[in-house]
Amino acid sequence: MSNDLDWAIYHTVHDFKGGARALAAHVAVRAGTLNNKADPACDNHNLTYQEGIAIQLASQDFSIISTEAAILGGTFVHLGSLAFVSDMALLDAWARWHEETGQTAAEVRKALDDGKITRDEFRRIRKEVREDIQREMEFLRRLESLVVDDE
């Protein structure tokens, strides 16, 4: 298993308010067992896919699936709730997407000021681009919720 994935699991469990003990109550796993499954040094306890999904849903921390996607050469995009689908919500989603695009452009310009891009600058740009994609997909999801299918 990837070291990055081991640490994503560890941090998802231990960064939850109250740690493994508190999170275990939400995912029907004993606290000690969950602690062992999240320990990168413990080879005989492994998180199942179902437990990983339950942990991410309970914690609202999607580091595990984001790390898996990165290992596979992709990215994970968490889409917002469709609790309020209205003209204003759609317009807000569109505006947030374009606001995020502007932040990406600003980060790229800042990185290019000295004629080179450092690893840290690239990480910031990559973070901004991922946020762009997330906002764009949220916009599309909201727009799709308004689609009326032809009969």
Side-chain angles (χ1 to χ4, degrees):
M1 185 176 336
S2 162
N3 208 18
D4 289 341
L5 185 56
D6 289 338
W7 286 110
I9 293 166
Y10 176 87
H11 286 292
T12 300
V13 170
H14 292 286
D15 291 351
F16 187 77
K17 186 176 180 179
R21 181 173 306 280
L23 186 55
H26 295 282
V27 296
V29 176
R30 289 183 178 163
T33 302
L34 182 57
N35 197 45
N36 287 338
K37 288 181 176 209
D39 182 353
C42 188
D43 292 332
N44 59 343
H45 285 77
N46 295 300
L47 203 62
T48 68
Y49 281 113
Q50 292 80 6
E51 290 166 341
I53 291 168
I55 286 166
Q56 291 173 94
L57 288 172
S59 67
Q60 289 295 293
D61 178 341
F62 302 104
S63 301
I64 296 169
I65 194 168
S66 294
T67 302
E68 288 176 352
I71 290 167
L72 296 170
T75 190
F76 170 73
V77 177
H78 182 258
L79 300 177
S81 166
L82 288 180
F84 301 103
V85 179
S86 66
D87 291 346
M88 290 301 285
L90 184 63
L91 182 58
D92 183 62
W94 180 84
R96 286 177 185 270
W97 166 30
H98 287 282
E99 177 183 38
E100 190 59 51
T101 302
Q103 291 172 2
T104 301
E107 200 63 49
V108 169
R109 287 192 66 206
K110 189 166 60 171
L112 293 173
D113 276 349
D114 60 1
K116 63 181 183 199
I117 298 177
T118 67
R119 180 62 53 192
D120 283 341
E121 289 169 334
F122 175 76
R123 285 186 186 114
R124 287 193 297 272
I125 293 167
R126 182 177 56 200
K127 176 184 176 287
E128 290 296 334
V129 168
R130 286 179 175 157
E131 289 172 2
D132 289 353
I133 293 167
Q134 181 177 359
R135 294 291 186 197
E136 182 176 12
M137 296 308 294
E138 286 174 2
F139 171 73
L140 281 174
R141 187 170 180 217
R142 287 199 178 276
L143 190 60
E144 184 181 26
S145 71
L146 301 174
V147 169
V148 176
D149 291 319
D150 295 334
E151 294 184 58

